[in-house]
Each structure stands twice: as C-alpha cells, then as structure tokens.
Amino acid sequence: MKSHSKISALLSALFMGLGQIYNKQYIKGLIMMGVGLFILITFAVDFQHAMWGLTTLGETKQTIDGWDIVQGDHSINLLIYGLIFLIASILVLSAHVANVVDAYSVGKKREIGIVPNGIKETLKTMYEKGFPFAMLLPSVFATAFLIILPNLFGVLLAFTNYSSPNHLPPKNLVDWVGFDTFIDLFKMDMWSSTFYGVFGWTVLWAILSTFTCFFAGLFVAIIVNQKGIVFKRFWRSVFILPWAIPQFVSILVMQNLFNGEFGPINQLLLDLGILNERLYFLSDPTLAKITIVVVNIWFGFPYWMVLMSGVMTSIDKELYEAADVDGANNWQKFPKITMPVLMFSTAPLLIMSFAGNFNNFNMIYLMTQGGPVNTSYQGAGSTDILISWIYKMTLEQRQYNMASVVSILIFVIIASISIWNFRRTKAFKEEDMMS
Amino acid sequence: MTSKLSRNLRLVFSYAFLIALVVIVFYPIAWAFMGSLNPGDSLSKTKLFTTDLSFKHYIYLFKETNYLKWYWNTLKIALGTMVLSTIFVVSAGYAFSRYRFKGRKYGLMTMLVLQMFPSFMGMIAIFLLLDRVGLLDTHIGLILVYSGGGIPFGAWLVKGYFDGIPKSLEEAARIDGAGHITVFFKVMVPLARPILVFVAVNNFIGPWMDFIFARLVLTSPEKKTLAIGLFDMITGKSNTQFTNFAAGAVLVAIPITILFILFQKHIVEGLKAGANKG
C-alpha cells in the first residue's frame, strides 16, 4: 500500500496545491497552485532584497557629484520595507503549513479508504471549520500591520543609531548598534540625569494623581449618598460634567485660566485678598507640578464618584442593619463595612488608573507642554513625564532611538503592573472571596 | 437632642460643600462659555458677569475659518471609526470566545501584550507605512489607524462579555438548524448589545478628542479635524484667540457631553469590565 499521506504532504511542501491534486482534489488543488504561483511571482524576488535591507539597513551613502545629489540607500525605508515582508512572509508561511497539513490529513484518510471530498464538500467543511478564522481575518490583518508592525519597528529603532544630527536618512545611513543606546541612557550623564529626573516625577505624578482623585471621588460619593441629602441625582449629574466634557477642550481652558499673566484665577485670588502679587502657576517648576496635580482632581474625581456611588448603593443593607444591632456607630461602620467592599471592587480599577496616569500625555502636554524649561535636562521640561518626553524626542528633537529605548522601558513597567493586576484579579475570582 | 443637632450640623456642612463643589465644577465651564459670548478677543478682557454679549466669535468661526469643514471631517472620521472598529472587535471577540482553534491562546496573549505598548511607539512606522500605501493625509488612513489601534482592548472586552452569555441559547438555535451566521447575528449580537454600544460610543468619541494621530496623519489644512484646528488656534498665539477658541470649544463640547451623559451607564460598565477582564 502506498503512503498517500506522506507523498501528498511532500508534494504540497514542494509547491502549494500539488499534494491536493495528487489526492484527486483537482479544483481545490488548482486554485491553491494559482495562489502559490501568485505569491511566488510577487514575493520571492523582492523578499531577498527586503531581507538584505533589514539586515544591513543599506550600504551606499548619499553622495554629492558636482551639483547633483546621488541618492544612496534610505535606511529607514529599508527597515520598514523589510518588516512588511517579514510579517507578510509569516502569514504566507502559515498558509503553506496549513496546505501541507491539509494534504497530509486527506492522504491519511485515503489510506483507510475514505474518498477525498469534492469541491462542494470542501466548501462546506471550509464554512464549518473556517468560520472562526474568517471572523478573525480582518482583525488579524489590521493588528499585524497597524499594531504589531509599528511596534516592532519601534522596538527595533532602539537598537539603531537613528537620531539627529548625524544619522538621519536620506543624507546619512542608519546602522544597527546593539545595546549602545540603552547604555547611553544609563551611563551618559546628560541622558541619565534627565531619565532619572523625569522618571521620578512620572512615578510621583502617577501616585499622586491616582490617589487624590480616588479619595476626592470617594469623599464626594460619601457626602452625596448620605441619608438626608436631597436631589442626589441632581448633584451626581452636575459632578459628572468634568468627565463628560471632552478632555482636551477643558484642559486647554484650564491652561488659560491658570496663566500667570492674564489668567482669571490670579485675578480672583488678588481680588479676594488671598494673594498680594501674581503667582506664576505654570512657570515655576514646583508650583507647576502642584497646579497640575490639583487641576487633575477636577478631571479625575467624577469617575471615582460614579464608581463608588454604584458600589455603595449595591452594598447589602443587611450588613448595616446587623452592625446597628451590634451597636456600631457610623465611624465604626465605615472602615469595617463600606471601605473593604469599596476597596475590593475598585482595586483593579485603581491599578489600571495608575497605569493610565503614568501615560497621561494629554494632561501634561496640553497643560504645560512639559514646561517650564529645565536647563539641566536633555530635551525635557520640568513637568514632562516619560510619555511626553518621548513625544518631544520623536517629533521635535528627532532622537528616535532614545525615544524607543524609553518606550521599551515604559512598556516593561506597564506590562509588569498589568500582568500582576491580571493575575491578582483572576486569583480573587477563583477563590470566590466576596460573592 | 444632641444627636439631632449634630445631624443638622452635618447636613449644613454637606450642603455647603456640595454648593462649593458645584461652583468649582462650573467655574472653568462658565469662563469658556462666557468667553465665547464676550465681544473682546482675549481672556484678559473677558468678563464673567456681564450683559454685553455678542455672537461675533461664532460668526467668525463659520465665516473666517474652516470650522464647519473641520466639524464635517471629524464627524466623518468618527462615524467611520465607529463602524469599522465595531466590526473588527465584535467579530474577533466572538471568534475568541466561542470557538476553539489552533493558536487561540497565543492570539489572546498577543492581544493582551499589545495593549501595554505606549501609543507613540509605533508613530513613526505608522507614518511611513501610510505614506508607502498612499493613505497619508487621507481620512481613510486615520480611520484605519484609530480602528486598528483599538482592536486589542476591544477584542478582549467583547470576548469577556460573550463569555458571560450562556451557551445553551445558541445551542438551542443550532438544534433549530441555524448556521454560524444566523446564530451570530440573530442570537449573539442582540444579547451583546450593551457592550456593543460601549464599543461604538467609545470609538465615536475618540476621534473628537485625539489630536496626536490626527496631526501625524493629516497634513493639509482642509483635512484637519476639530481637535487640531482648536489646538492650533490657542497654542502659539497665546492669549489673543481665546474667545474664538472658546466658541469652537463650546460647539464641540455640547454634543459630546450630551452623548456621554446619555450613554453614561454603558461607559461605566464597559470601563469596569475592561479592568477586570480575564
């Protein structure tokens, strides 16, 4: 007996669709061969060039011949071109593997005497088995080219010297430099002092902004939900406004209100006699930081107020009644009943909110543009957090490789926090602690 | 008697606090609103309490700037993003939730990891990529960037929601002879309405707020979105354009705020689910 499975798998491995034809699935086989041919023609030749570009990032520099500029290789275009091919070839490769596996399994069935499916049955099984893949296809494509490719490109930049002033194509070539940029960030004084300074403020900002908003929201929720307060819905609807109004609009308004020269807040404080002279809220490093944290409460408390109100109204009334029977007063009920339930149901949100504030670009950039200027920093202002520093390095200073290195560090930090949070919540769920 | 006194005292302080908070909440809103109606150009000349009002900044926006064009651009991009990203996210979330196939676990892990990259990391590559395929400076390019970027978060969210819907419902439909597509559209999509509304609203609101990717992708002035238009209006020229900016801001803020308040319940639920996924 011939080993149909092995022969057809081998044929399919040799060229897409051959094994299927061997298995007498002629129409299917021909269609697959057509696809294979198409890929071969459009792909194979360019693939070599793309891989050459990806590994070398170009070899000929732009030169000047008299008055004419002779174009050399454009390293960054070669890099992205190579990546497109790399990702496309992964998709092609998985199609090819699927083709071999298919030929093998049909051959296997022939060996035990099952007649291979005709084109009609094939289409039917394709619909049955292929449905989830068809559903995933658009997202897989979009994710591959719009998220994975750009991020991979971003990660790779960290290992090049792509930066102003000496390594910007098309004038110059970019080279792979391994971990040099990472080493620069930690070893070169200018970079490392900026990094530690900005990083310290980022962490402090994330902690302060998360906790101030959390407790402000909690406090407002407690006040509104007290017994005896009327028009609860009215209060809540008003306090939700800062969250509902498009953030970039209100931050830009705030930025003007707190302006040291013409901002009305200064005027108000002067008129009320609280201040004797104008305060430059956003031009003094320390004052700017305090101002941002305080202003951020305006934006952040409604979210927590809504969440806490929701949790508070859902707490079982019997818990409080039981406490009343035991003679507990409000000061005992709150830390013993309300607070644990609140913490339990909001802890994952608190952690994610920390991660969100860590990267809260809008608040910092729209409020101060990272300013005031800090001369001891390399390309960052006093209120810059890591993400806004990256933005400046990318769009203003063209320090692409350093921006990438810092992005990778942010990724590591956020990923650790999220994974820890993810595991923790999962563990909670499995133990069924509260419900 | 003392307990009643302390109760009243507590209520008095509470109301005082609430009223003070209302003032704080409305203070910037009032400035923006009054700024848009004051006849002067600048914030320093704007008065919070005045009867001298004019619509000239609104007229200026419509007559002298491309404001309406920006509005229309943004609306188009928002609607496009909403439709496309909902299709992406719902189909992927459904497949991940209801089918078991090779690579499912890796796919889910990848989606989880991708959410943790800072959003600027891919900026340069997106620019180059769109340039290469000729979608730079087009609204379609921007719609693709927005809807693609939302897939990892959205797919997880929707998958989580589908996981919570009992399988017996679709099995019953299956026994009645319904195919994949019928089950999906007739049984699952209606059941998942709350999360679909969240995804749709979220993606609709996003383009009104973002100015980073909009600025990266759209280079010609007539293609601008509202966020870039307004941002450019107020930065750089410092104080002089505040009132025009305020008028523009009011016209954006009103519909978005109403939309937000209408769908507030969905948004809160969606955010909670997003942090608890898994």
Side-chain angles (χ1 to χ4, degrees):
Chain A
M1 196 183 83
K2 277 195 280 183
S3 171
H4 291 303
S5 57
K6 276 180 193 154
I7 294 172
S8 54
L10 207 67
L11 283 170
S12 268
L14 210 62
F15 199 90
M16 217 178 215
L18 273 186
Q20 280 75 7
I21 291 180
Y22 171 82
N23 282 336
K24 301 199 176 85
Q25 296 179 305
Y26 298 112
I27 300 176
K28 181 173 158 193
L30 281 175
I31 294 172
M32 288 172 77
M33 279 185 84
V35 173
L37 208 63
F38 177 76
I39 292 171
L40 199 67
I41 292 167
T42 53
F43 213 67
V45 181
D46 289 341
F47 184 74
Q48 270 193 351
H49 178 242
M51 289 305 112
W52 164 81
L54 189 59
T55 45
T56 62
L57 295 181
E59 284 160 342
T60 5
K61 227 176 131 172
Q62 187 187 65
T63 49
I64 293 169
D65 181 22
W67 293 105
D68 298 322
I69 292 172
V70 181
Q71 287 300 344
D73 294 323
H74 192 297
S75 306
I76 295 307
N77 281 348
L78 286 173
L79 177 55
I80 194 133
Y81 188 59
L83 276 180
I84 293 172
F85 267 86
L86 201 65
I87 288 182
S89 61
I90 290 172
L91 295 177
V92 167
L93 203 67
S94 45
H96 195 74
V97 169
N99 136 68
V100 174
V101 169
D102 172 69
Y104 182 83
S105 63
V106 176
K108 203 87 190 170
K109 278 184 193 154
R110 281 179 71 195
E111 283 163 24
I112 52 170
I114 300 173
V115 181
N117 285 337
I119 187 70
K120 261 192 189 155
E121 285 103 348
T122 306
L123 286 176
K124 213 175 150 193
T125 40
M126 256 176 77
Y127 175 68
E128 276 302 314
K129 288 254 170 91
F131 187 74
F133 293 105
M135 295 280 275
L136 278 174
L137 208 59
S139 296
V140 167
F141 260 96
T143 313
F145 287 102
L146 290 167
I147 309 179
I148 296 181
L149 172 74
N151 280 314
L152 202 58
F153 178 88
V155 171
L156 288 179
L157 281 190
F159 302 95
T160 68
N161 55 10
Y162 184 25
S163 59
S164 169
N166 292 325
H167 297 283
L168 288 181
K171 219 175 155 203
N172 294 99
L173 290 175
V174 174
D175 296 305
W176 294 111
V177 295
F179 282 92
D180 286 3
T181 320
F182 287 83
I183 294 166
D184 282 353
L185 179 65
F186 291 108
K187 286 279 151 72
M188 266 170 71
D189 275 348
M190 212 45 196
W191 284 115
S192 67
S193 66
T194 313
F195 175 71
Y196 291 127
V198 174
F199 180 67
W201 161 236
T202 309
V203 173
L204 185 68
W205 150 257
I207 293 173
L208 285 177
S209 55
T210 307
F211 280 95
T212 49
C213 292
F214 180 84
F215 285 109
L218 174 65
F219 186 70
V220 177
I222 292 170
I223 300 282
V224 173
N225 287 305
Q226 276 179 107
K227 263 188 217 152
I229 297 284
V230 290
F231 307 131
K232 287 191 167 65
R233 266 186 73 105
F234 163 77
W235 299 113
R236 274 199 287 257
S237 321
V238 170
F239 298 151
I240 217 167
L241 282 175
W243 185 17
I245 296 170
Q247 217 195 26
F248 88 95
V249 167
S250 28
I251 300 178
L252 288 174
V253 171
M254 285 287 194
Q255 182 214 338
N256 279 272
L257 295 186
F258 279 93
N259 188 295
E261 320 253 329
F262 55 81
I265 299 224
N266 253 327
Q267 202 56 51
L268 181 73
L269 294 177
L270 286 172
D271 291 348
L272 290 176
I274 298 173
L275 289 180
N276 295 320
E277 53 182 306
R278 287 182 176 276
L279 265 185
Y280 289 86
F281 289 107
L282 300 174
S283 353
D284 174 75
T286 316
L287 195 55
K289 288 178 182 175
I290 297 171
T291 309
I292 295 181
V293 172
V294 171
V295 169
N296 184 62
I297 300 175
W298 190 88
F299 291 91
F301 88 88
Y303 169 66
W304 292 108
M305 178 202 71
V306 171
L307 281 175
M308 309 275 191
S309 297
V311 178
M312 279 179 188
T313 46
S314 71
I315 297 178
D316 199 343
K317 293 278 178 297
E318 281 176 28
L319 283 173
Y320 290 109
E321 281 159 18
D324 285 336
V325 172
D326 293 342
N329 63 27
N330 282 341
W331 296 108
Q332 290 166 321
K333 276 188 276 183
F334 181 74
K336 289 271 162 32
I337 302 174
T338 319
M339 214 42 208
V341 177
L342 281 178
M343 283 312 290
F344 173 79
S345 51
T346 54
L349 293 161
L350 196 61
I351 292 159
M352 290 327 285
S353 151
F354 176 85
N357 280 321
F358 198 90
N359 282 333
N360 194 342
F361 174 82
N362 277 359
M363 192 64 212
I364 302 289
Y365 192 78
L366 295 182
M367 198 69 191
T368 63
Q369 259 103 63
V373 179
N374 189 330
T375 43
S376 61
Y377 278 178
Q378 170 90 15
S382 305
T383 57
D384 261 320
I385 56 174
L386 290 174
I387 193 89
S388 60
W389 185 35
I390 290 174
Y391 181 80
K392 287 180 171 177
M393 279 197 280
T394 309
L395 291 182
E396 290 166 17
Q397 297 138 11
R398 302 177 159 219
Q399 299 294 323
Y400 302 111
N401 57 346
M402 197 54 88
S404 253
V405 169
V406 179
S407 300
I408 292 177
L409 296 176
I410 292 189
F411 167 74
V412 171
I413 295 163
I414 298 296
S416 328
I417 297 172
S418 314
I419 290 170
W420 176 71
N421 186 35
F422 180 66
R423 288 211 163 150
R424 209 187 49 89
T425 45
K426 231 181 164 181
F428 264 124
K429 267 184 197 161
E430 274 154 18
E431 283 167 16
D432 255 2
M433 271 195 57
M434 292 297 289
S435 55
Chain B
M1 204 54 208
T2 47
S3 81
K4 195 165 184 200
L5 186 70
S6 80
R7 198 186 99 104
N8 285 340
L9 213 59
R10 200 186 70 210
L11 283 180
V12 168
F13 277 117
S14 299
Y15 279 117
F17 172 79
L18 290 174
I19 290 163
L21 194 57
V22 170
V23 172
I24 293 173
V25 164
F26 274 112
Y27 185 74
I29 302 173
W31 272 104
F33 192 69
M34 289 313 289
S36 77
L37 292 172
N38 260 256
D41 290 333
S42 63
L43 183 57
S44 48
K45 286 185 202 133
T46 298
K47 291 191 189 73
L48 201 49
F49 302 102
T50 172
T51 50
D52 182 17
L53 300 174
S54 101
F55 281 103
K56 72 177 220 196
H57 303 299
Y58 291 92
I59 295 163
Y60 169 85
L61 277 185
F62 292 123
K63 290 236 165 110
E64 309 283 318
T65 71
N66 279 328
Y67 191 78
L68 274 181
K69 182 91 190 157
W70 301 338
Y71 220 103
W72 171 237
N73 288 343
T74 315
L75 187 66
K76 237 173 24 179
I77 293 168
L79 285 173
T81 307
M82 180 178 90
V83 172
L84 192 62
S85 67
T86 310
I87 293 173
F88 278 151
V89 160
V90 173
S91 55
Y94 181 66
F96 276 129
S97 167
R98 280 307 196 260
Y99 293 92
R100 296 293 175 268
F101 47 87
K102 273 197 190 116
R104 175 178 173 271
K105 256 200 160 160
Y106 291 108
L108 280 171
M109 281 314 282
T110 311
M111 293 285 187
L112 200 62
V113 172
L114 288 177
Q115 287 176 48
M116 298 157 194
F117 280 101
S119 54
F120 298 152
M121 191 146 189
M123 226 162 41
I124 308 162
I126 285 177
F127 183 85
L128 294 169
L129 192 71
L130 290 179
D131 193 24
R132 193 156 264 278
V133 292
L135 287 175
L136 202 62
D137 200 21
T138 63
H139 292 153
I140 297 181
L142 191 57
I143 291 173
L144 280 173
V145 171
Y146 285 145
S147 10
I151 292 176
F153 173 76
W156 262 93
L157 196 68
V158 176
K159 175 211 167 261
Y161 195 87
F162 277 130
D163 284 347
I165 298 174
K167 278 198 167 153
S168 53
L169 289 163
E170 57 193 286
E171 275 159 11
R174 282 251 160 199
I175 291 166
D176 292 343
H180 290 289
I181 291 179
T182 326
V183 169
F184 178 65
F185 282 108
K186 291 272 159 72
V187 182
M188 299 307 279
V189 169
L191 285 171
R193 236 191 74 182
I195 204 76
L196 295 191
V197 171
F198 172 72
V199 169
V201 171
N202 221 15
N203 281 297
F204 182 81
I205 292 182
W208 299 84
M209 314 271 210
D210 171 74
F211 72 107
I212 294 154
F213 283 98
R215 223 195 203 175
L216 183 79
V217 175
L218 307 174
T219 43
S220 50
E222 75 274 8
K223 291 195 172 140
K224 270 188 195 176
T225 62
L226 275 173
I228 328 176
L230 288 177
F231 182 76
D232 289 349
M233 221 179 226
I234 201 165
T235 41
K237 291 166 201 150
S238 73
N239 160 19
T240 53
Q241 285 263 339
F242 181 80
T243 45
N244 288 328
F245 161 79
V250 167
L251 291 183
V252 188
I254 289 173
I256 297 293
T257 308
I258 291 173
L259 197 69
F260 183 95
I261 289 173
L262 283 180
F263 290 105
Q264 184 207 331
K265 269 215 176 91
H266 288 107
I267 291 171
V268 175
E269 286 309 311
L271 286 173
K272 267 195 217 164
N276 280 309
K277 66 197 151 217

